[in-house]
Amino acid sequence: PRHLLGIEGLSAEQLVPFLDLAESYALLSRSRSAPRDALRGRTVINLFYEDSTRTRTSFELAGKRLGADVINMSVATSSVNKGETLLDTAATLNAMRCDLLVVRHAQSGAPALLSQKVEASVVNAGDGTHEHPTQALLDALTIRRHFGRLEGLTVAICGDVGHSRVARSNIHLLTAFGNKVRLAGPPTLLPGAMAELGDVELYSDMDKALEGADVVMSLRLQKERMGAGLVPSAREYFRFFGLDRRRLALAKPGALVMHPGPMNRGVEIASDVADSDQSVISEQVEMGVAVRMAVLDRLSRARMPV
Ligand code: CP
């Protein structure tokens, strides 16, 4: 593909090559021997209209490890503040002949819109409540490394699922590979529209959702996407939906604990669970760099030679 805008509509066969290439980049990164010429002569621009720690940094590292020129556009100090539209900003960057445009935006569909207007390959780095495809790929790679497979597993995705682009992309990916997906959270944060996402089970009882799960994914409360007065109190939320030791014991022994970050300890996840032997949160971050190397590499190959 020329762009990576979402996981929806991609088959397991289309996704496996990204995971396989990322796996090899993970091994090369550990031995500090990534091929620094894979993206030589290419320009990657990170255009982030929303905050990010992991995604922006890992796209930057991924591009640099493969020899690309990487520019981080600081939206806060750009002409966006003088009223320039998203499309005009993108057209400006396109005129500079950038090859890969990595976009995060609060508006669902913004990267797809840009992909129709620019010659660069566009990568969705998170758009509103819609999708975060590279997060789902890095989660999938982390799971596959632990289980040796990516099918036949039961994955509980817990918390503010309704606002979560991470959940959406993961649901599309995990169901495409034939896994069972359970969504757990307060009914107000589990909109009925989730049913349109396919074969998922909804739980308002977190304990039931965790019973026998192979993987437990915890999600942050996205207060920035909630209306005033609709934010649950942290204490009460933790009591009913926090992932603590007692709840985790309901999952399969050794079940993986995952969180895309940023975490709010003591709200959706207990600190000791986040730091436990079952937690693969740091590995997710490591796989994030490898997955973004694979995505930049594959999209770059789909373009004309430099
Ligand atoms: N998981 C994730 O997207 O983290 P950042 O918001 O820090 O990029």
Side-chain angles (χ1 to χ4, degrees), residues 46-267:
N46 282 327
L47 180 60
F48 278 59
Y49 285 82
E50 277 193 335
D51 296 342
S52 172
T53 297
R54 282 145 286 266
T55 311
R56 194 176 63 79
T57 310
S58 57
F59 267 113
E60 182 176 358
L61 270 175
K64 286 183 171 166
R65 281 189 189 163
L66 295 176
D69 296 317
V70 185
I71 310 290
N72 289 313
M73 265 266 310
S74 171
V75 169
T77 56
S78 72
S79 287
V80 169
N81 288 334
K82 300 174 193 167
E84 190 165 65
T85 66
L86 171 67
L87 287 181
D88 284 337
T89 301
T92 303
L93 300 178
N94 194 56
M96 294 178 193
R97 301 266 164 239
C98 89
D99 298 288
L100 294 134
L101 192 54
V102 181
V103 184
R104 171 170 288 192
H105 201 279
Q107 205 70 44
S108 298
L113 179 67
L114 287 191
S115 72
Q116 295 163 14
K117 308 284 179 188
V118 297
E119 286 150 50
S121 289
V122 176
V123 185
N124 180 0
D127 61 331
T129 59
H130 176 228
E131 282 230 33
H132 192 350
T134 54
Q135 180 71 45
L137 285 168
L138 75 90
D139 290 340
L141 182 57
T142 307
I143 293 170
R144 195 176 77 166
R145 284 164 66 92
H146 280 267
F147 290 93
R149 67 183 203 279
L150 192 53
E151 65 268 317
L153 300 169
T154 298
V155 181
I157 304 179
C158 307
D160 184 1
V161 179
H163 292 112
S164 177
R165 55 200 180 201
V166 173
R168 260 186 187 71
S169 290
N170 264 308
I171 291 164
H172 290 306
L173 190 149
L174 292 167
T175 54
F177 278 87
N179 298 285
K180 203 176 268 183
V181 177
R182 300 174 179 169
L183 307 178
T188 47
L189 298 176
L190 281 180
M194 281 292 162
E196 85 199 18
L197 293 174
D199 196 11
V200 294
E201 294 171 0
L202 305 188
Y203 292 79
S204 54
D205 182 336
M206 173 102 169
D207 288 14
K208 286 209 166 69
L210 293 192
E211 274 170 22
D214 296 288
V215 178
V216 184
M217 286 187 187
S218 178
L219 300 174
R220 178 179 70 89
L221 276 177
Q222 298 197 36
K223 296 178 188 171
E224 70 275 23
R225 302 191 207 283
M226 295 175 194
L230 294 174
V231 180
S233 94
R235 247 173 66 155
E236 199 174 3
Y237 185 81
F238 185 73
R239 200 167 127 230
F240 289 103
F241 296 100
L243 181 60
D244 58 12
R245 284 258 174 216
R246 182 194 67 76
R247 288 209 169 99
L248 181 57
L250 298 168
K252 284 219 181 108
L256 294 190
V257 172
M258 305 181 77
H259 195 304
M263 263 188 290
N264 288 145
R265 292 169 182 259
V267 182

